[in-house]
Every structure is written in structure tokens, then in C-alpha cells.
Amino acid sequence: YTGKIKIFNYTPGKYPKGLIGYLPQGITYNKKFPIKVLDVVLMGRYPIIGYFNLPSKKDKDIALQCLESLDILEYANYNFQELSGGLKQRVLIA
């Protein structure tokens, strides 16, 4: 058999940086660290807003849209450690 492999119309190794991510099945984190779901999602914005800057309203709106797109907006103010394993995965995808 012959053929070609493409990911989002790019050959492997040729796609733009950041197009594909990896989320392992098991995650390790400090279960005593008090962090809200929205704050976890906002961490994904730090490369854009800077690590020492506070998120803007636009950043928060984008994070809330991500939660909404995964149908987990209602968990935005929950403590991350209180979620089930599946919900934690969805939050990390957001």
C-alpha cells in the first residue's frame, strides 16, 4: 500500500507550531492547590498576555467562550480539584 499522511492538510512536521497539542490521560498536580476552573483555562493565554500581566476582560471572555464551547461553562467558578477526571480533561482542553 502507498499513500500520504496529512494532518489538517499539512504533512507531518510541516504544520504550523501550536496547531496540534497533546494531553496525557493522567495528570499530576497538587490537589491542595486552590485554583478555579477559569484560572486554569486562563493559563493557556499567558504566552499571549505575558506571564507577569493580569488577564484582560477580553482574555476572560475568550476563556469563558472556550468553556462554553465544551459545554462546561457552569464549572467556571468551581475548584479544579473538585471535578471528576473527565471534567478535568475537558478543562485542560479548553
Side-chain angles (χ1 to χ4, degrees), residues 13-62:
K14 303 287 184 185
Y15 43 81
K17 184 178 179 184
L19 183 63
I20 295 175
Y22 167 73
L23 181 62
Q25 179 67 31
I27 56 171
T28 304
Y29 63 95
N30 183 342
K31 292 180 176 150
K32 293 180 182 179
F33 188 76
I35 189 166
K36 301 285 184 189
V37 166
L38 181 59
D39 295 324
V40 172
V41 178
L42 281 167
M43 280 192 235
R45 300 282 303 159
Y46 287 141
I48 296 163
I49 64 175
Y51 292 99
F52 299 105
N53 297 319
L54 293 175
S56 68
K57 180 177 180 344
K58 179 183 176 184
D59 295 312
K60 289 179 184 177
D61 288 344
I62 290 170

